[in-house]
Each structure stands twice: as structure tokens, then as C-alpha cells.
Amino acid sequence: MQYILEILPSLLSGAVMTLKIFIWTLIGSLPLGLVVGLGLMSNFKPLQWLLHFYVWLMRGTPLLLQLIFVFYGLPLIGIVFPRYYAALFAFILNYAAYFAEIFRGGLQSIDNGQYESARVLRLSYWQTIRKIVIPQVIKIVLPSVGNEVINLVKDSSLVYVIGLGDLLRAGNVATARDVTLVPLVLVGIIYLALTAVTTFVLGLIEKHYSYWK
């Protein structure tokens, strides 16, 4: 117990970095994913092709490779990110692509009659999207978005590859220094706790939107 109390501050400090990556990735990737999802349904073919290529690229290559490319590759052409912002940039672009496909599926599930009724009511396109379509889409896509959100909690551990002091890195350092698996067991428990809290919050959100049934 004394050893656990000694290493816990460094693990919790790493958990704060993990949470920062998690929260800011969601804040950036969810709206971007929605915009890209709308763009994928655009009638403007060049935009549609460009966005399809972006989604294909992000979903077809590992997030770990994207992190390495952003932090180590982009400086070769003069684009330099600090470690933290490189991680955020890679995570947001990656998860926005997944969310875009989820939102696209949700948007396509909305019956055309909804759009026709909105035109009869003289609602603009953006009023239709904001007041009629998006509330229904949120209800439809919540389970799929929830799965990606839970994956994000675990994927945040990948930032160790560019030297960020996240939860997993803190555990690895303590394990290598003290030659014991106790830090990694604690890391696993903290990840389980974060996942449990995330699952609980997602359940509350799904319950809130259940009135659309």
C-alpha cells in the first residue's frame, strides 16, 4: 500500500493528460465529423471525392502511424507541432473520419419526407438540419458514437510514442524503474474506471434521447 501511494501521484498526473487528449479530441472531432458527414452527401462531386479520400486515408491507416507522421514527418516539410498539439491534431483528424461515416449513415436513414415537410413549412436547409434532422440523427447514431468514444479512452495511450507523459507512459516508467507489475495493474484499474464513467454518461445521454422513440 505504501508503494501504491508513492506512485499514485505520477499515475494520476498521467491520467490528467489522458483525459485532456480524450476531451479535446471529442470537442474537435464530433463537430468536424458532422460537417464531413454532411459533405459526403453533397451534390458537389469534387468535394464529395475529396472527403471520401480523406475518410479512406484516415480509416485505412493506423492511428499510431498517423501520430508518427504528424510529429516526425511533417517537420520535414516545415510544419512543426509541439508534442501535445501533434497528438490532438492526429486524434481529431482520425476520429472525425470515423464519426463522419457514422453521421453519414444516420443522415441517410432520415426519410426524404422529413425534408419535404420542412420545405412546406418554409424552413431553410440549415434550419431543417438543425431543428429536424440532427435531433433524430443523434438518437440513431448514439450507440455507434458511444463505441468510438470508449475506444478513444483506450487509444489515448498511443500518445506515448511521441513522448507525451500519459497514464500508460507513467505506468511503464514506474514498472521499468521498480521492476514490478503493480504500476501496470493500477493503470489497468484506472482505465477501467474511466471506461466505466464514460459508459455511464453515454447511458444517461441515450436515456435522455429515448423520447424520440
Side-chain angles (χ1 to χ4, degrees), residues 4-157:
I4 290 174
L5 293 175
E6 287 176 0
I7 65 171
L8 200 55
S10 64
L11 295 182
L12 293 178
S13 177
V16 170
M17 175 59 71
T18 296
L19 284 173
K20 287 168 66 176
I21 294 290
F22 171 77
I23 292 169
W24 284 111
T25 297
L26 283 185
I27 291 173
S29 62
L30 281 171
L32 179 59
L34 178 58
V35 171
V36 173
L38 290 169
L40 290 171
M41 300 174 61
S42 169
N43 293 324
F44 185 55
K45 292 299 180 183
L47 174 63
Q48 193 180 91
W49 293 335
L50 179 64
L51 293 177
H52 273 294
F53 175 77
Y54 156 69
V55 171
W56 170 74
L57 182 66
M58 291 295 106
R59 297 176 71 199
T61 55
L63 176 56
L64 182 61
L65 177 62
Q66 294 165 20
L67 274 168
I68 294 171
F69 178 79
V70 169
F71 187 67
Y72 295 107
L74 291 184
L76 298 177
I77 58 174
I79 303 174
V80 180
F81 288 102
R83 296 178 195 275
Y84 177 67
Y85 293 106
L88 281 183
F89 183 72
F91 269 79
I92 288 172
L93 287 183
N94 180 274
Y95 270 83
Y98 284 92
F99 288 139
E101 280 296 292
I102 292 171
F103 283 126
R104 181 183 63 82
L107 289 165
Q108 289 180 336
S109 69
I110 303 300
D111 188 83
N112 285 333
Q114 303 272 349
Y115 296 94
E116 293 170 2
S117 299
R119 282 196 291 271
V120 170
L121 294 172
R122 297 184 178 180
L123 295 179
S124 68
Y125 174 77
W126 289 110
Q127 285 177 320
T128 303
I129 293 296
R130 181 166 55 88
K131 296 183 178 181
I132 296 177
V133 176
I134 287 180
Q136 297 178 70
V137 168
I138 290 175
K139 173 65 177 68
I140 294 168
V141 305
L142 264 178
S144 299
V145 168
N147 286 335
E148 293 300 325
V149 170
I150 291 171
N151 283 334
L152 176 57
V153 174
K154 297 174 288 184
D155 281 349
S156 62
S157 63

